[in-house]
């Protein structure tokens, strides 16, 4: 039968025309793979509506319970956009995973619930989508775990992940990041990722425009008056005199800047779903994915920063919130370019960072 026919059997009478869909699947135990009865499964998505009062945003939510054979069905979900799914049974649960709404009215997605105390591992390979060449040094992370790097063959092995259906993220310099759902269970198949670049997706094009050189025009002043976030102004930057941009993050409430594995300095904050999460980063209003402190320092120096906005989960303005992320955001605004060439070269900036790091190591050795 067609997807529409199956949806009619599962959800009953459906008016025509109709733009809704159904998500079906089985909830299973991540350890035994057995079906789980009475597991709570919920779905959320973002809807926008335009009226005389302006643009309104709402987050509809559907909840159902799995049957004795683990079967569940969520009717009347949208056919476009992203849907966030999560399943839980007692202390066991999945991550809040993101799936694309089914354009053909039907989506099958089994969910595996597991305990945060029982850990597993996932392995895979990451290559470039255009040439299929291994992306050496690509970062792979999951569930607030320190990232691992892909080796010379693009292979990676990530351990310490709670059993169950989880989200992982694969990132490589110069490529679009990939977030995907994996089932961390016995016999998990290797994950193969092919990351696209801008040249892979778009033909050559020329973009002409001007950078926003007035924070008031970007709404910075209005958001600052709202009191919902934490704001660093040009005066604050001048007073603190940071050596690297991430120095400005260290006194922000709820934000942690901690050195992890592989020399990466990770940024985390409180989450709506898990204990800690990695915030999204925006540069001059443009989404830059989830970056480490090291990557932010490489993108922009403190002498180029005009202001920064920090938002914890639940307080993020609509334009700075990736769909259903459950985490906060960092928004960095840079100073307008002038005709002068007084900015530091990358060599000067690198030398400054190396000297700062050497001084820190020497100070630590002295204390020891």
């Amino acid at each position: 039968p067609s997807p529409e026919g199956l949806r009619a059997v599962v959800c009953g009478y459906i008016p025509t025309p109709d733009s809704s869909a159904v998500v079906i699947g089985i909830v299973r135990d991540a350890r035994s793979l057995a079906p789980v009865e009475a597991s709570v499964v919920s779905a959320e998505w973002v809807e926008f509506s335009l009226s005389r009062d302006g643009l309104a945003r709402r987050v509809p939510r559907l909840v159902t319970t799995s049957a004795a054979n683990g079967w569940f069905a969520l009717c009347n979900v949208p056919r476009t956009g992203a849907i966030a799914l999560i399943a839980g049974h007692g202390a066991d649960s999945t991550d809040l995973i993101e799936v694309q709404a089914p354009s053909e009215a039907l989506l099958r997605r089994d969910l595996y619930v597991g305990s945060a105390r029982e850990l597993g591992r996932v392995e895979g390979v990451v290559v470039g989508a255009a040439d299929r060449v291994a992306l050496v040094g690509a970062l792979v992370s999951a569930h607030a775990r320190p990232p691992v790097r892909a080796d010379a063959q693009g292979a990676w092995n990530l351990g310490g992940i709670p059993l169950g259906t989880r989200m992982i993220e694969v990132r490589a310099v110069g490529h679009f990041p990939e977030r995907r759902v994996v089932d961390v269970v016995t016999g998990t198949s290797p994950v193969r990722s092919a990351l696209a670049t801008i040249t892979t997706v778009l033909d050559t094009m020329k973009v002409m425009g001007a950078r926003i050189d007035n924070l008031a025009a970007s709404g910075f002043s209005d958001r600052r008056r709202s009191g919902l976030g934490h704001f660093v102004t040009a005066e604050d930057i001048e007073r603190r005199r940071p050596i690297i941009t991430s120095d400005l993050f260290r006194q922000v409430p709820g934000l942690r800047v901690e050195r992890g594995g592989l020399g990466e300095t990770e940024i985390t904050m409180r989450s709506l779903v898990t204990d800690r999460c990695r915030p999204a980063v925006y540069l001059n209003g443009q989404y830059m994915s989830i970056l480490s402190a090291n990557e932010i320092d490489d993108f922009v120096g403190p002498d180029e920063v005009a202001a920064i906005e920090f938002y914890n989960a639940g307080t993020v303005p609509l334009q700075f919130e990736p769909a259903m992320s459950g985490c906060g955001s960092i928004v960095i605004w840079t100073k307008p370019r002038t005709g002068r060439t007084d900015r530091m070269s990358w060599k000067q900036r690198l030398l400054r960072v190396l000297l700062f790091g050497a001084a820190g190591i020497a100070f630590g050795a002295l204390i020891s």
Side-chain angles (χ1 to χ4, degrees), residues 248-269:
L248 297 168
F249 302 171
R250 299 183 183 277
Q251 298 179 8
V252 177
L255 197 71
R256 293 181 187 172
V257 181
E258 302 172 319
R259 183 168 294 279
L262 305 173
E264 290 286 328
T265 303
E266 297 296 338
I267 307 169
T268 62
M269 60 173 49

Side-chain angles (χ1 to χ4, degrees), residues 2-14 22:
S2 66
E4 287 79 5
L6 289 173
R7 183 169 64 110
V9 172
V10 173
C11 300
Y13 170 74
I14 300 171
V22 58

Side-chain angles (χ1 to χ4, degrees), residues 35 55 79 143 173 185 264 289 295-296 354:
L55 187 66
R79 290 200 193 185
H143 203 77
V173 175
V185 297
E264 290 286 328
S289 182
E295 292 169 322
I296 293 176
L354 290 175

Side-chain angles (χ1 to χ4, degrees), residues 9 12 14 17 33 56 59 66 72 104 109 118 146 155 191 205-206 233 262 268 283 299 318 329 338 347 356 360-361:
V9 172
I14 300 171
L33 308 186
V59 182
S66 61
F72 73 90
E104 296 186 350
R109 176 67 219 185
E118 298 184 57
V191 177
M205 62 180 180
K206 180 182 291 185
T233 64
L262 305 173
T268 62
L283 182 62
F299 269 117
L318 180 61
S329 295
T338 65
K347 291 182 179 180
F356 179 68
I361 293 173

Side-chain angles (χ1 to χ4, degrees), residues 12-348:
Y13 170 74
I14 300 171
T16 303
D18 180 70
S19 60
S20 64
V22 58
V23 177
I24 62 174
I26 296 176
V27 180
R28 298 183 181 275
D29 187 285
R31 293 150 292 204
S32 65
L33 308 186
V36 179
E37 181 182 4
S39 179
V40 178
V41 183
S42 63
E44 293 183 348
W45 61 93
V46 178
E47 287 185 356
F48 298 96
S49 60
L50 187 62
S51 66
R52 293 180 178 178
D53 299 326
L55 187 66
R57 175 181 180 270
R58 59 186 293 264
V59 182
R61 187 168 187 259
L62 293 176
V63 180
T64 189
T65 303
S66 61
N69 61 356
W71 168 266
F72 73 90
L74 292 162
C75 298
N76 300 319
V77 300
R79 290 200 193 185
T80 58
I83 301 174
L85 296 177
I86 189 169
H89 183 266
D92 295 345
S93 68
T94 68
D95 277 354
L96 183 70
I97 67 170
E98 184 177 304
V99 298
Q100 288 301 308
S103 59
E104 296 186 350
L106 181 70
L107 173 67
R108 168 70 183 268
R109 176 67 219 185
D110 289 357
L111 300 173
Y112 295 82
V113 293
S115 170
R117 296 187 298 272
E118 298 184 57
L119 306 178
R121 64 178 50 251
V122 180
E123 60 183 24
V125 176
V126 55
V127 299
D131 51 17
R132 300 294 167 176
V133 174
L135 294 180
V136 182
L139 291 174
V140 184
S141 59
H143 203 77
R145 303 296 301 172
V148 297
R149 288 191 183 275
D151 61 18
Q153 286 73 44
W156 53 268
N157 194 314
L158 183 63
I161 309 175
L163 295 179
T165 300
R166 308 296 173 191
M167 293 290 296
I168 67 170
E169 183 180 61
V170 184
R171 294 182 290 143
V173 175
H175 295 75
F176 290 109
E178 178 185 71
R179 299 183 74 244
R180 64 188 300 170
V181 182
V182 297
D183 297 319
V184 186
V185 297
T186 303
T188 300
S189 300
V191 177
R192 185 172 180 84
S193 301
L195 302 188
T197 63
I198 296 177
T199 55
T200 305
V201 177
L202 297 175
D203 291 332
T204 302
M205 62 180 180
K206 180 182 291 185
V207 178
M208 301 182 65
R211 173 178 295 179
I212 296 175
D213 58 0
N214 189 343
L215 288 179
S218 70
F220 177 86
S221 299
D222 293 336
R223 291 190 295 275
R224 185 184 178 193
R225 284 193 293 268
S226 71
L228 291 179
H230 183 85
F231 297 83
V232 174
T233 64
E235 291 76 14
D236 298 326
I237 298 171
E238 178 65 24
R239 184 176 66 255
R240 297 182 190 179
R241 297 186 178 278
I243 297 177
I244 53 178
T245 301
S246 57
D247 287 344
L248 297 168
F249 302 171
R250 299 183 183 277
Q251 298 179 8
V252 177
L255 197 71
R256 293 181 187 172
V257 181
E258 302 172 319
R259 183 168 294 279
L262 305 173
E264 290 286 328
T265 303
E266 297 296 338
I267 307 169
T268 62
M269 60 173 49
R270 289 187 292 270
S271 169
L272 293 177
V273 181
T274 59
D275 181 31
R276 306 292 297 181
C277 63
R278 297 164 63 197
V281 178
Y282 288 77
L283 182 62
N284 292 323
Q286 300 298 313
Y287 180 51
M288 300 294 291
S289 182
I290 298 173
L291 304 177
S292 66
N294 310 68
E295 292 169 322
I296 293 176
D297 293 335
D298 289 339
F299 269 117
V300 59
D303 55 318
E304 300 173 88
V305 178
I308 309 180
E309 307 174 41
F310 299 89
Y311 298 99
N312 290 319
T315 67
V316 186
L318 180 61
Q319 65 269 39
F320 302 132
E321 182 180 21
M324 309 304 300
S325 68
C327 197
S329 295
I330 299 174
V331 185
I332 302 173
W333 300 98
T334 61
K335 299 174 183 177
R337 291 279 181 88
T338 65
R340 300 181 305 169
T341 58
D342 56 354
R343 57 178 300 188
M344 296 180 66
S345 69
W346 67 270
K347 291 182 179 180
Q348 291 173 315

